[in-house]
Amino acid sequence: MPAFPHSTTCRTAYDTTATVTAAAVPPSLSLPVIEAVFPRRLHPYWPRLQERTRSWLLEKRLMPADKVAEYADGLCYTDLMAGYYVGASDEVLQAIADYSAWFFVWDDRHDRDIVHGRPGAWRRLRLRLHAALDDPAAHLRHADPLVAGLADSVGRLYSFLSATWNARFARHFHAVIEAYDREFRNRVEGRIPTVEEYLELRRLTFAHWIWTDLLEPSAGCELPDPVRKHPAYRRAALLSQEFAAWYNDLCSLPKEIAGEEVHNLGISLVTHEGLTLEEAVEEVRRRVEECTSAFLVAEKDVLRLADRLADGTVRGKQLSVAVHACLGNMRNWFSSVYWFHHESGRYRVDSWDDRSTPPYVDNEAAGEK
Protein backbone atom coordinates (compact mmCIF):
# COMPACT_ATOMS: atom_id res chain seq x y z
CA MET A 1 0.00 0.00 0.00
CA PRO A 2 1.55 3.38 -0.97
CA ALA A 3 2.19 5.83 1.81
CA PHE A 4 0.43 8.63 -0.01
CA PRO A 5 -2.43 6.93 -1.85
CA HIS A 6 -4.31 10.20 -2.38
CA SER A 7 -1.51 12.73 -2.10
CA THR A 8 0.30 15.17 -4.31
CA THR A 9 3.97 14.96 -5.16
CA CYS A 10 6.03 13.47 -2.33
CA ARG A 11 9.75 13.82 -1.83
CA THR A 12 11.71 11.23 0.12
CA ALA A 13 14.84 11.71 2.17
CA TYR A 14 16.79 10.73 -0.96
CA ASP A 15 15.10 13.42 -3.06
CA THR A 16 13.47 10.96 -5.41
CA THR A 17 10.06 12.15 -6.56
CA ALA A 18 6.83 10.27 -7.20
CA THR A 19 3.61 11.77 -8.48
CA VAL A 20 0.34 10.20 -7.41
CA THR A 21 -3.31 11.19 -7.36
CA ALA A 22 -4.10 14.35 -5.39
CA ALA A 23 -6.35 14.10 -2.35
CA ALA A 24 -9.76 15.69 -2.49
CA VAL A 25 -9.42 18.62 -0.10
CA PRO A 26 -12.63 20.57 0.65
CA PRO A 27 -12.29 24.26 -0.29
CA SER A 28 -12.80 25.34 3.33
CA LEU A 29 -9.77 23.23 4.35
CA SER A 30 -7.57 23.83 1.31
CA LEU A 31 -4.30 25.68 1.91
CA PRO A 32 -2.60 26.36 -1.43
CA VAL A 33 0.53 27.63 0.31
CA ILE A 34 1.11 24.19 1.86
CA GLU A 35 0.73 22.47 -1.47
CA ALA A 36 3.01 24.99 -3.21
CA VAL A 37 5.69 25.86 -0.64
CA PHE A 38 5.87 22.86 1.72
CA PRO A 39 6.65 19.77 -0.42
CA ARG A 40 5.99 16.39 1.14
CA ARG A 41 8.89 14.27 2.22
CA LEU A 42 8.85 10.67 3.38
CA HIS A 43 11.43 8.73 5.36
CA PRO A 44 12.62 5.78 3.23
CA TYR A 45 12.05 3.43 6.17
CA TRP A 46 8.28 4.03 5.95
CA PRO A 47 7.19 0.62 4.52
CA ARG A 48 8.93 -1.27 7.34
CA LEU A 49 7.75 1.34 9.83
CA GLN A 50 4.12 0.72 8.91
CA GLU A 51 4.58 -3.04 9.13
CA ARG A 52 6.40 -2.98 12.45
CA THR A 53 4.09 -0.48 14.14
CA ARG A 54 1.12 -2.57 13.04
CA SER A 55 2.80 -5.63 14.63
CA TRP A 56 3.62 -3.61 17.75
CA LEU A 57 -0.02 -2.59 18.22
CA LEU A 58 -0.97 -6.27 18.10
CA GLU A 59 1.87 -7.45 20.33
CA LYS A 60 1.06 -4.84 22.99
CA ARG A 61 -2.71 -5.52 22.69
CA LEU A 62 -3.38 -1.85 22.05
CA MET A 63 -5.94 -2.61 19.35
CA PRO A 64 -7.83 -5.86 18.67
CA ALA A 65 -6.57 -7.89 15.72
CA ASP A 66 -9.68 -7.23 13.62
CA LYS A 67 -9.41 -3.47 14.16
CA VAL A 68 -5.69 -3.49 13.29
CA ALA A 69 -6.35 -5.47 10.12
CA GLU A 70 -9.20 -3.24 8.99
CA TYR A 71 -8.15 0.21 10.14
CA ALA A 72 -4.49 0.53 11.20
CA ASP A 73 -2.99 1.31 7.80
CA GLY A 74 -5.87 3.58 6.81
CA LEU A 75 -5.45 5.66 9.97
CA CYS A 76 -2.04 6.70 8.57
CA TYR A 77 -0.36 7.14 11.96
CA THR A 78 2.99 5.96 10.59
CA ASP A 79 2.64 8.18 7.50
CA LEU A 80 2.36 11.19 9.81
CA MET A 81 5.59 10.42 11.65
CA ALA A 82 7.51 9.27 8.56
CA GLY A 83 6.65 12.59 6.95
CA TYR A 84 7.80 14.58 10.00
CA TYR A 85 10.98 13.09 11.41
CA VAL A 86 12.79 12.71 8.10
CA GLY A 87 16.48 11.99 8.58
CA ALA A 88 16.03 10.11 11.86
CA SER A 89 17.70 6.75 12.20
CA ASP A 90 15.36 3.81 11.58
CA GLU A 91 15.54 2.87 15.27
CA VAL A 92 14.63 6.38 16.43
CA LEU A 93 11.79 6.72 13.93
CA GLN A 94 10.37 3.33 14.96
CA ALA A 95 10.33 4.31 18.63
CA ILE A 96 8.67 7.64 17.79
CA ALA A 97 6.08 6.03 15.52
CA ASP A 98 5.15 3.43 18.13
CA TYR A 99 4.87 6.14 20.78
CA SER A 100 2.70 8.23 18.42
CA ALA A 101 0.41 5.26 17.70
CA TRP A 102 0.18 4.69 21.44
CA PHE A 103 -0.76 8.37 21.89
CA PHE A 104 -3.68 8.07 19.47
CA VAL A 105 -4.93 4.93 21.24
CA TRP A 106 -4.61 6.69 24.61
CA ASP A 107 -6.58 9.65 23.24
CA ASP A 108 -9.34 7.24 22.21
CA ARG A 109 -9.40 5.58 25.65
CA HIS A 110 -9.63 9.00 27.27
CA ASP A 111 -12.60 9.82 25.04
CA ARG A 112 -14.36 6.52 25.78
CA ASP A 113 -13.85 6.92 29.53
CA ILE A 114 -15.62 10.27 29.28
CA VAL A 115 -18.42 9.09 26.97
CA HIS A 116 -19.15 6.03 29.11
CA GLY A 117 -18.85 7.81 32.47
CA ARG A 118 -15.80 6.08 33.96
CA PRO A 119 -14.00 8.70 36.09
CA GLY A 120 -12.54 6.03 38.38
CA ALA A 121 -10.99 4.14 35.47
CA TRP A 122 -9.53 7.38 34.09
CA ARG A 123 -8.10 8.36 37.49
CA ARG A 124 -6.38 4.99 37.87
CA LEU A 125 -5.00 5.14 34.35
CA ARG A 126 -3.72 8.68 34.83
CA LEU A 127 -1.77 7.73 37.97
CA ARG A 128 -0.35 4.60 36.34
CA LEU A 129 0.83 6.57 33.32
CA HIS A 130 2.66 9.02 35.56
CA ALA A 131 4.36 6.08 37.29
CA ALA A 132 5.27 4.34 34.00
CA LEU A 133 6.78 7.55 32.67
CA ASP A 134 9.09 7.79 35.68
CA ASP A 135 10.03 4.10 35.76
CA PRO A 136 9.31 2.40 32.42
CA ALA A 137 11.22 -0.80 33.21
CA ALA A 138 8.95 -1.54 36.19
CA HIS A 139 5.79 -1.30 34.07
CA LEU A 140 6.68 -3.29 30.95
CA ARG A 141 4.41 -6.18 32.00
CA HIS A 142 1.56 -4.14 33.45
CA ALA A 143 -1.86 -5.71 32.98
CA ASP A 144 -3.25 -2.58 31.31
CA PRO A 145 -1.94 -2.55 27.71
CA LEU A 146 -1.86 1.26 27.69
CA VAL A 147 0.46 1.36 30.69
CA ALA A 148 2.72 -1.37 29.32
CA GLY A 149 2.70 0.23 25.86
CA LEU A 150 3.78 3.60 27.23
CA ALA A 151 6.52 1.94 29.27
CA ASP A 152 7.85 0.12 26.21
CA SER A 153 7.84 3.08 23.84
CA VAL A 154 9.16 5.61 26.36
CA GLY A 155 11.84 3.22 27.56
CA ARG A 156 13.14 3.08 24.00
CA LEU A 157 12.97 6.85 23.59
CA TYR A 158 15.00 7.23 26.80
CA SER A 159 17.87 5.23 25.26
CA PHE A 160 18.92 7.76 22.60
CA LEU A 161 20.13 10.89 24.40
CA SER A 162 21.15 11.89 27.92
CA ALA A 163 19.42 11.67 31.29
CA THR A 164 18.88 15.44 31.02
CA TRP A 165 16.85 15.03 27.83
CA ASN A 166 14.92 12.14 29.41
CA ALA A 167 14.02 14.26 32.42
CA ARG A 168 12.86 17.10 30.17
CA PHE A 169 10.72 14.74 28.07
CA ALA A 170 9.21 13.24 31.24
CA ARG A 171 8.48 16.68 32.67
CA HIS A 172 6.75 17.72 29.47
CA PHE A 173 4.69 14.54 29.28
CA HIS A 174 3.66 14.66 32.94
CA ALA A 175 2.16 18.07 32.07
CA VAL A 176 0.35 16.52 29.08
CA ILE A 177 -1.22 13.83 31.29
CA GLU A 178 -2.46 16.48 33.70
CA ALA A 179 -3.85 18.55 30.81
CA TYR A 180 -5.81 15.50 29.68
CA ASP A 181 -7.22 15.34 33.21
CA ARG A 182 -8.33 18.98 32.96
CA GLU A 183 -9.97 18.18 29.64
CA PHE A 184 -11.67 15.17 31.23
CA ARG A 185 -13.19 17.32 33.95
CA ASN A 186 -14.25 20.03 31.50
CA ARG A 187 -16.04 17.51 29.30
CA VAL A 188 -17.75 15.76 32.20
CA GLU A 189 -18.98 19.14 33.48
CA GLY A 190 -19.86 20.37 29.98
CA ARG A 191 -17.57 23.35 30.51
CA ILE A 192 -16.28 25.03 27.36
CA PRO A 193 -13.04 26.93 28.11
CA THR A 194 -12.59 30.54 27.02
CA VAL A 195 -10.43 31.11 23.97
CA GLU A 196 -7.34 31.98 26.02
CA GLU A 197 -7.88 29.06 28.40
CA TYR A 198 -8.32 26.77 25.46
CA LEU A 199 -5.17 27.92 23.66
CA GLU A 200 -3.11 27.33 26.80
CA LEU A 201 -4.64 23.89 27.34
CA ARG A 202 -4.31 22.93 23.68
CA ARG A 203 -0.55 23.45 23.72
CA LEU A 204 -0.47 20.70 26.32
CA THR A 205 -3.10 18.28 25.03
CA PHE A 206 -1.55 18.45 21.57
CA ALA A 207 1.85 17.88 23.26
CA HIS A 208 3.62 20.76 21.51
CA TRP A 209 6.85 20.37 23.43
CA ILE A 210 6.90 16.56 23.24
CA TRP A 211 6.96 16.57 19.42
CA THR A 212 9.53 19.38 19.54
CA ASP A 213 11.71 17.43 22.01
CA LEU A 214 11.68 14.48 19.61
CA LEU A 215 13.34 16.58 16.90
CA GLU A 216 16.61 16.16 18.82
CA PRO A 217 16.99 12.36 18.82
CA SER A 218 15.86 12.53 15.19
CA ALA A 219 18.80 14.84 14.51
CA GLY A 220 21.07 12.69 16.68
CA CYS A 221 22.01 15.66 18.83
CA GLU A 222 20.76 17.08 22.11
CA LEU A 223 20.56 20.86 21.86
CA PRO A 224 21.94 22.95 24.73
CA ASP A 225 19.54 25.35 26.42
CA PRO A 226 20.94 28.52 24.77
CA VAL A 227 20.09 27.03 21.36
CA ARG A 228 16.86 25.24 22.26
CA LYS A 229 15.53 28.27 24.15
CA HIS A 230 16.72 30.82 21.61
CA PRO A 231 13.72 33.02 20.69
CA ALA A 232 14.02 32.25 16.99
CA TYR A 233 14.16 28.48 17.51
CA ARG A 234 11.31 28.52 20.04
CA ARG A 235 9.13 30.65 17.79
CA ALA A 236 9.60 28.42 14.74
CA ALA A 237 8.90 25.32 16.84
CA LEU A 238 5.78 26.85 18.40
CA LEU A 239 4.41 28.00 15.05
CA SER A 240 4.79 24.54 13.54
CA GLN A 241 2.89 23.03 16.45
CA GLU A 242 0.21 25.73 16.62
CA PHE A 243 -0.44 25.19 12.92
CA ALA A 244 -0.89 21.48 13.52
CA ALA A 245 -3.18 21.89 16.53
CA TRP A 246 -5.39 24.52 14.94
CA TYR A 247 -5.57 22.76 11.58
CA ASN A 248 -6.62 19.67 13.51
CA ASP A 249 -9.35 21.75 15.17
CA LEU A 250 -10.50 22.94 11.76
CA CYS A 251 -10.67 19.42 10.33
CA SER A 252 -12.06 17.67 13.41
CA LEU A 253 -14.81 20.20 14.17
CA PRO A 254 -17.61 18.06 12.62
CA LYS A 255 -16.35 14.98 14.48
CA GLU A 256 -16.18 16.86 17.79
CA ILE A 257 -19.57 18.53 17.41
CA ALA A 258 -21.05 15.08 16.70
CA GLY A 259 -19.37 13.73 19.85
CA GLU A 260 -20.59 16.71 21.95
CA GLU A 261 -17.02 17.79 22.54
CA VAL A 262 -16.16 21.03 24.35
CA HIS A 263 -12.49 21.32 23.34
CA ASN A 264 -12.05 22.92 19.96
CA LEU A 265 -10.97 26.44 19.10
CA GLY A 266 -14.04 26.85 16.91
CA ILE A 267 -16.37 25.80 19.73
CA SER A 268 -14.71 28.26 22.15
CA LEU A 269 -15.01 31.07 19.59
CA VAL A 270 -18.73 30.38 19.10
CA THR A 271 -19.44 30.10 22.82
CA HIS A 272 -17.35 32.94 24.24
CA GLU A 273 -16.78 35.35 21.33
CA GLY A 274 -20.31 35.24 19.91
CA LEU A 275 -19.23 34.08 16.45
CA THR A 276 -21.46 32.02 14.20
CA LEU A 277 -20.14 28.60 13.27
CA GLU A 278 -19.22 29.89 9.81
CA GLU A 279 -17.38 32.88 11.30
CA ALA A 280 -15.56 30.61 13.76
CA VAL A 281 -14.37 28.37 10.93
CA GLU A 282 -13.06 31.43 9.09
CA GLU A 283 -11.27 32.67 12.22
CA VAL A 284 -9.59 29.32 12.85
CA ARG A 285 -8.59 29.20 9.21
CA ARG A 286 -7.13 32.73 9.48
CA ARG A 287 -5.03 31.68 12.47
CA VAL A 288 -3.82 28.59 10.63
CA GLU A 289 -2.77 30.66 7.61
CA GLU A 290 -1.07 33.20 9.87
CA CYS A 291 1.02 30.40 11.44
CA THR A 292 2.19 29.39 7.99
CA SER A 293 3.24 32.87 6.89
CA ALA A 294 4.86 33.62 10.26
CA PHE A 295 6.85 30.38 10.10
CA LEU A 296 8.34 31.36 6.75
CA VAL A 297 9.68 34.51 8.44
CA ALA A 298 10.86 32.69 11.58
CA GLU A 299 12.56 30.06 9.44
CA LYS A 300 14.98 32.70 8.13
CA ASP A 301 15.87 33.72 11.68
CA VAL A 302 16.65 30.11 12.61
CA LEU A 303 18.83 29.71 9.51
CA ARG A 304 20.81 32.75 10.63
CA LEU A 305 21.15 31.18 14.09
CA ALA A 306 22.45 27.98 12.51
CA ASP A 307 24.98 29.96 10.48
CA ARG A 308 26.24 31.74 13.61
CA LEU A 309 26.66 28.42 15.42
CA ALA A 310 29.07 27.22 12.71
CA ASP A 311 32.01 29.03 14.31
CA GLY A 312 34.79 26.85 12.96
CA THR A 313 34.79 24.40 15.87
CA VAL A 314 33.71 20.78 15.69
CA ARG A 315 30.99 21.42 18.28
CA GLY A 316 29.77 24.49 16.43
CA LYS A 317 29.49 22.54 13.20
CA GLN A 318 27.62 19.74 14.98
CA LEU A 319 25.10 22.16 16.47
CA SER A 320 24.64 24.01 13.20
CA VAL A 321 23.90 20.77 11.35
CA ALA A 322 21.48 19.69 14.11
CA VAL A 323 19.59 23.00 14.03
CA HIS A 324 19.27 22.73 10.25
CA ALA A 325 17.88 19.19 10.66
CA CYS A 326 15.41 20.23 13.38
CA LEU A 327 14.25 23.23 11.37
CA GLY A 328 13.80 21.10 8.26
CA ASN A 329 11.56 18.76 10.20
CA MET A 330 9.56 21.65 11.68
CA ARG A 331 8.90 22.58 8.06
CA ASN A 332 7.97 18.96 7.25
CA TRP A 333 5.34 19.06 9.99
CA PHE A 334 3.21 21.46 7.94
CA SER A 335 2.83 19.20 4.92
CA SER A 336 2.72 15.98 6.94
CA VAL A 337 -0.10 17.25 9.18
CA TYR A 338 -1.99 18.81 6.28
CA TRP A 339 -2.15 15.66 4.16
CA PHE A 340 -2.65 13.37 7.16
CA HIS A 341 -5.96 15.04 7.86
CA HIS A 342 -7.21 14.30 4.34
CA GLU A 343 -5.89 10.75 4.11
CA SER A 344 -6.48 9.34 7.59
CA GLY A 345 -9.70 7.49 8.36
CA ARG A 346 -9.64 9.23 11.73
CA TYR A 347 -11.45 12.26 10.30
CA ARG A 348 -13.89 10.69 7.82
CA VAL A 349 -16.82 11.16 10.14
CA ASP A 350 -19.36 11.25 7.32
CA SER A 351 -18.55 7.63 6.47
CA TRP A 352 -19.15 6.33 10.01
CA ASP A 353 -22.33 4.47 10.96
CA ASP A 354 -22.44 6.53 14.18
CA ARG A 355 -20.86 9.99 13.83
CA SER A 356 -20.10 10.05 17.58
CA THR A 357 -18.36 6.64 17.69
CA PRO A 358 -15.21 6.04 15.60
CA PRO A 359 -15.33 2.59 13.97
CA TYR A 360 -11.69 1.87 14.88
CA VAL A 361 -12.51 2.10 18.62
CA ASP A 362 -13.37 -1.20 20.30
CA ASN A 363 -15.80 -0.52 23.13
CA GLU A 364 -15.92 -4.05 24.41
CA ALA A 365 -12.13 -4.27 24.68
CA ALA A 366 -12.21 -1.16 26.83
CA GLY A 367 -14.57 -2.79 29.30
CA GLU A 368 -17.77 -1.23 27.99
CA LYS A 369 -20.04 -4.27 27.73
Side-chain angles (χ1 to χ4, degrees):
M1 177 181 178
F4 303 145
H6 308 292
S7 68
T8 58
T9 299
C10 67
R11 189 176 301 278
T12 72
Y14 296 121
D15 289 330
T16 57
T17 303
T19 302
V20 289
T21 306
V25 181
S28 62
L29 302 176
S30 175
L31 297 175
V33 67
I34 298 296
E35 301 179 32
V37 183
F38 294 82
R40 295 189 78 172
R41 302 179 69 210
L42 182 69
H43 198 291
Y45 178 64
W46 173 79
R48 293 297 304 277
L49 182 72
Q50 184 184 54
E51 175 188 335
R52 290 187 174 182
T53 294
R54 191 191 315 126
S55 296
W56 186 79
L57 287 168
L58 284 170
E59 176 193 342
K60 299 302 175 184
R61 298 178 295 116
L62 289 165
M63 290 177 68
D66 61 328
K67 298 290 185 182
V68 171
E70 187 171 358
Y71 297 108
D73 289 356
L75 289 169
C76 300
Y77 297 159
T78 55
D79 302 48
L80 179 64
M81 294 297 111
Y84 184 19
Y85 297 103
V86 178
S89 71
D90 294 355
E91 184 183 16
V92 168
L93 184 61
Q94 188 67 65
I96 292 174
D98 290 349
Y99 170 75
S100 172
W102 173 90
F103 202 115
F104 280 111
V105 174
W106 174 50
D107 186 73
D108 292 335
R109 170 83 74 84
H110 176 261
D111 177 70
R112 296 295 93 186
D113 279 348
I114 294 166
V115 169
H116 293 276
R118 298 196 303 257
W122 164 249
R123 182 172 57 253
R124 289 189 295 274
L125 176 61
R126 167 177 153 252
L127 295 175
R128 288 166 179 167
L129 293 180
H130 279 304
L133 187 59
D134 286 336
D135 189 1
H139 293 80
L140 290 172
R141 293 177 176 80
H142 197 281
D144 188 329
L146 267 181
V147 178
L150 177 65
D152 180 83
S153 60
V154 166
R156 288 149 61 202
L157 292 174
Y158 284 173
S159 70
F160 299 123
L161 296 177
S162 75
T164 302
W165 184 92
N166 296 350
R168 187 210 317 159
F169 180 93
R171 183 172 68 253
H172 286 160
F173 197 63
H174 281 305
V176 170
I177 295 169
E178 287 306 294
Y180 263 68
D181 187 54
R182 286 164 57 193
E183 180 174 317
F184 189 102
R185 286 182 275 117
N186 282 346
R187 287 183 62 185
V188 167
E189 296 166 6
R191 182 181 179 276
I192 298 173
T194 66
V195 172
E196 288 307 312
E197 287 174 329
Y198 174 76
L199 294 177
E200 178 187 352
L201 183 62
R202 186 64 164 143
R203 291 182 183 117
L204 293 170
T205 58
F206 196 81
H208 281 23
W209 301 117
I210 288 294
W211 308 120
T212 301
D213 287 337
L214 290 169
L215 292 169
E216 294 168 65
S218 297
C221 180
E222 183 174 343
L223 298 179
D225 282 355
V227 175
R228 188 173 58 84
K229 295 181 178 180
H230 189 282
Y233 185 89
R234 293 279 287 187
R235 177 161 174 72
L238 181 61
L239 285 166
S240 74
Q241 293 298 315
E242 298 281 50
F243 166 84
W246 298 345
Y247 193 69
N248 175 268
D249 279 5
L250 196 60
C251 294
S252 63
L253 187 57
K255 169 179 177 279
E256 292 176 347
I257 289 175
E260 298 183 347
E261 253 280 18
V262 298
H263 288 89
N264 184 290
L265 180 54
I267 293 172
S268 287
L269 287 165
V270 168
T271 303
H272 295 288
E273 303 295 327
L275 274 61
T276 65
L277 182 59
E278 292 75 14
E279 290 169 339
V281 168
E282 283 304 310
E283 174 60 17
V284 177
R285 182 185 171 91
R286 184 192 67 77
R287 291 175 184 240
V288 165
E289 292 174 335
E290 192 175 80
C291 283
T292 307
S293 58
F295 177 83
L296 294 173
V297 175
E299 183 178 41
K300 296 176 182 177
D301 294 333
V302 181
L303 289 172
R304 284 191 283 270
L305 169 64
D307 289 344
R308 289 196 299 272
L309 289 169
D311 58 4
T313 66
V314 172
R315 177 61 169 163
K317 177 64 173 177
Q318 179 191 39
L319 290 176
S320 178
V321 168
V323 168
H324 273 286
C326 292
L327 178 64
N329 282 335
M330 291 177 201
R331 166 178 268 275
N332 289 337
W333 195 227
F334 286 83
S335 59
S336 193
V337 162
Y338 179 76
W339 291 111
F340 168 72
H341 281 86
H342 302 297
E343 294 168 355
S344 173
R346 194 172 179 87
Y347 304 100
R348 294 181 189 156
V349 65
D350 290 335
S351 69
W352 301 353
D353 291 336
D354 178 352
R355 290 172 60 89
S356 66
T357 304
Y360 49 83
V361 171
D362 188 84
N363 286 338
E364 184 174 326
E368 299 171 9
K369 294 182 181 179

